[in-house]
Amino acid sequence: MRSLTAGDSHGELLVGIIEGFPAGHRVSVRDIERDLSRRRKSYGRSARQNIERDSIKIVSGLWKGRTTGAPIAILVQNLGRTVSGKPGGALGSVPRPGHADLAGCLKYGFDEVPPISERSSARGTAMRVAFGSLAKSVLKLFAIEILGHVTSIGGVDADVAPVPFAKLKRSVSRSPLYCADKQAADKMIETIRVAKKEGNSLGGRVEVVATGLIPGLGTHVESDRKLDARLAGALVSIQSVKAVEIGDVLKTHRLKGFESHDAMYLDRGRVSRKTNHAGGIEGSMTNGEDIIMRLYAKPLPTSLKRLSSYDMKMMKSAKSPFVRSDVCVLPALTVIAEGVVAWELLLAMVEQFGGDSIDQMKANYGSYVTGLAKRGIL
Ligand code: EPS
């Protein structure tokens, strides 16, 4: 299974193609649009989000509402084609520090920013969420669920004491910031308000949890098929994400081995663990515990506070331009990260259980799970 996207931030539409998606899966456009709207509506976004609707059109790969195994093509229209009345690509020839502008212009031979900024824009994450939403709907058939939540914004940290997945999901769904800790979320909202007033932007941290996993997804045998590497690579490819933690390694790297690893207990033929410092992955494979990963995002580089830069055409010093931008995308990042993790997990499932049809996947999965049960797992 593979995917490809095309589309610019202020072009006509975003296009996504998925090839190799298992046949026979009922697709709900409404479910995909629900995720797109969670991404769009979160707190701290720019005025652009009041313009977009993010409704989708699936133009191939379905028969009577089910996937056929043929490539699936998805379209998401851009309604916001202009920035403050100017054409969308209104950025000039001054690269913004922290953006793809400079390196992209040098690499592709441009002295104007739009040919680069239009594609590097986080607008493209709408399609990644659509892909992820489709993946989530398949994973749900195998009782796998994924949830992202904000754990830090602009230096305000949430209380992250572990809670059962269902409870976490309830608290997150009630929060405009998708943050389970209401007190911290109130402080974060205030911090975002102040940053907006100052014309500044904020970064932070998001945690993603995947539950309901069987052990053995991914593999230790070859580097390009390692699940932790695939997940971390995919997450760092999201705009602004600069670091990913798997499990508790930011704590455990200071400890000794016996405090860091998750001991196993055999009780009446069943294997269990009392801790999950590994974040559900050992030897680059799922171990059956919840996958827990944390993403660290830098503050967005576009802000009213203009940094020193230079004009690539005139070759003279200039301040970086201010264009309409988000103040904080951390809540939106929770939804994007869910989608990205879902996509990587579905890839691993399709590789492991065969991907021609959902029925085939279910049959192969069932026989694997029967084997696990005989060995005290699940
Ligand atoms: C973005 C700038 C803003 C964001 C955009 C990403 O758009 P505009 O330049 O039109 O104000 O709103 O994100 C989206 C449109 C989106 O749907 O996420 C950027 O420069 O990356």
Side-chain angles (χ1 to χ4, degrees):
M1 190 171 77
R2 57 190 170 153
S3 67
L4 200 62
T5 69
D8 301 319
S9 188
H10 303 90
E12 190 177 340
L13 34 80
L14 306 175
V15 183
I17 297 181
I18 301 173
E19 198 261 330
F21 197 90
H25 183 59
R26 182 166 288 290
V27 171
S28 161
V29 167
R30 259 176 64 190
D31 284 356
I32 299 173
E33 289 182 347
R34 192 173 306 132
D35 269 342
L36 285 169
S37 128
R38 285 172 62 224
R39 186 197 77 98
R40 183 170 68 80
K41 285 184 179 160
S42 54
Y43 191 81
R45 306 297 317 268
S46 89
R48 169 85 185 264
Q49 301 307 327
N50 302 328
I51 301 167
E52 297 302 338
R53 288 291 156 263
D54 289 354
S55 50
I56 64 158
K57 210 166 163 186
I58 302 184
V59 294
S60 76
L62 297 186
W63 176 255
K64 297 183 179 172
R66 286 183 191 271
T67 52
T68 61
I72 300 169
I74 304 175
L75 308 180
V76 181
Q77 240 193 317
N78 284 330
L79 301 177
R81 310 274 298 277
T82 63
V83 182
S84 315
K86 295 185 200 145
L91 283 166
S93 48
V94 180
R96 296 160 298 169
H99 267 273
D101 302 352
L102 177 63
C105 281
L106 297 175
K107 178 178 170 70
Y108 291 101
F110 293 103
D111 59 6
E112 287 177 308
V113 170
I116 304 305
S117 61
E118 279 294 301
R119 181 63 185 161
S120 65
S121 164
R123 173 75 187 141
T125 59
M127 191 54 76
R128 295 187 84 179
V129 168
F131 288 172
S133 190
L134 260 178
K136 274 194 240 178
S137 67
V138 176
L139 295 174
K140 215 167 169 189
L141 304 175
F142 299 89
I144 299 168
E145 274 197 82
I146 301 160
L147 180 72
H149 62 113
V150 167
T151 57
S152 182
I153 287 181
V156 180
D157 290 319
D159 176 3
V160 287
V163 287
F165 188 84
K167 190 171 172 207
L168 182 64
K169 200 170 156 185
R170 265 198 310 280
S171 319
V172 170
S173 71
R174 290 194 199 111
S175 162
L177 278 188
Y178 310 152
C179 172
D181 177 348
K182 166 125 183 32
Q183 268 186 342
D186 289 345
K187 279 192 209 143
M188 290 172 189
I189 286 177
E190 181 54 21
T191 308
I192 294 172
R193 210 184 54 74
V194 171
K196 186 174 181 180
K197 216 165 142 197
E198 289 172 359
N200 224 329
S201 62
L202 298 168
R205 185 179 67 230
V206 156
E207 182 174 272
V208 196
V209 184
T211 194
L213 295 151
I214 43 150
L217 279 182
T219 175
H220 62 291
V221 300
E222 195 55 67
S223 53
D224 63 342
R225 292 172 60 209
K226 293 185 174 209
L227 187 65
D228 45 5
R230 284 184 173 184
L231 284 167
L235 288 169
V236 170
S237 78
I238 302 171
Q239 285 85 343
S240 295
V241 175
K242 291 290 144 197
V244 173
E245 179 189 16
I246 299 175
D248 293 335
V249 73
L250 287 187
K251 274 189 209 136
T252 57
H253 77 283
R254 295 176 183 282
L255 306 177
K256 294 193 174 137
F258 61 81
E259 299 160 311
S260 316
H261 296 295
D262 306 303
M264 301 167 200
Y265 302 90
L266 189 61
D267 182 15
R268 279 167 286 176
R270 287 276 164 263
V271 182
S272 69
R273 309 209 198 201
K274 294 179 181 156
T275 55
N276 182 16
H277 298 307
I281 299 183
E282 286 170 319
S284 300
M285 290 168 277
T286 53
N287 64 6
E289 304 295 318
D290 289 356
I291 290 184
I292 301 177
M293 300 183 81
R294 298 182 193 94
L295 290 64
Y296 293 77
K298 66 179 181 182
L300 295 177
T302 309
S303 68
L304 264 177
K305 289 198 180 299
R306 300 166 66 186
L307 292 175
S308 175
S309 181
Y310 79 105
D311 188 313
M312 293 182 288
K313 272 191 185 156
M314 314 294 284
M315 283 309 283
K316 61 176 197 193
S317 295
K319 290 272 187 201
S320 64
F322 173 70
V323 284
R324 177 179 65 191
S325 183
D326 304 284
V327 179
C328 171
V329 290
L330 267 292
L333 184 56
T334 66
V335 185
I336 302 162
E338 279 175 18
V340 165
V341 168
W343 181 260
E344 292 303 320
L345 290 179
L346 182 61
L347 272 178
M349 290 278 287
V350 166
E351 272 181 31
Q352 189 149 336
F353 300 114
D356 282 346
S357 74
I358 293 286
D359 284 350
Q360 224 175 62
M361 259 178 103
K362 278 185 181 164
N364 293 338
Y365 176 89
S367 91
Y368 182 67
V369 168
T370 307
L372 292 177
K374 286 185 194 144
R375 302 188 56 183
I377 307 287
L378 303 178

